[in-house]
Amino acid sequence: MTLLREWLEAEPTLRPGEVQRRLRALGTPLALSTIYRLLGPVRATIPVEVVVRFEGVAGEFAQFDFGATDERPTTDTPTARVRPEQLDP
């Protein structure tokens, strides 16, 4: 169990199949169902990072991003006029 804890603390997203492969390499062939039963209690004791999602009432907050540029249109800047019938359907 100590070895599993060390692996999971170093790599919290370690998959059971990888744990099984590592244990087989160490000479401990265990079935995947056994690995799942071993990992459950060990994972439960390792603290995880909690993500708190920000929720607001509709219309309470707004974010606007109009962008920015240093270029200014001039009188010699060509403009293109596109009629609706020129657009692809």
Side-chain angles (χ1 to χ4, degrees):
M1 288 284 223
T2 308
L3 184 60
L4 289 177
R5 175 176 293 286
E6 290 175 11
W7 287 346
L8 290 174
E9 286 176 350
E11 301 174 64
T13 59
L14 190 64
R15 295 176 177 253
E18 176 62 18
V19 172
Q20 183 184 34
R21 187 193 66 75
R22 290 182 185 186
L23 287 174
R24 281 189 180 166
L26 294 174
T28 309
L30 295 175
L32 197 55
S33 60
T34 306
I35 303 290
Y36 275 102
R37 276 187 271 139
L38 288 173
L39 287 178
V42 175
R43 283 191 196 270
T45 60
I46 296 175
V48 295
E49 182 179 333
V50 178
V51 177
V52 178
R53 184 176 171 161
F54 175 75
E55 296 283 337
V57 179
E60 184 177 0
F61 300 100
Q63 177 180 346
F64 298 95
D65 185 6
F66 295 109
T69 182
D70 290 335
E71 295 181 22
R72 303 280 182 230
T74 60
T75 55
D76 59 334
T77 303
T79 57
R81 306 249 185 236
V82 179
R83 294 187 307 270
E85 57 269 8
Q86 292 175 309
L87 299 174
D88 290 332

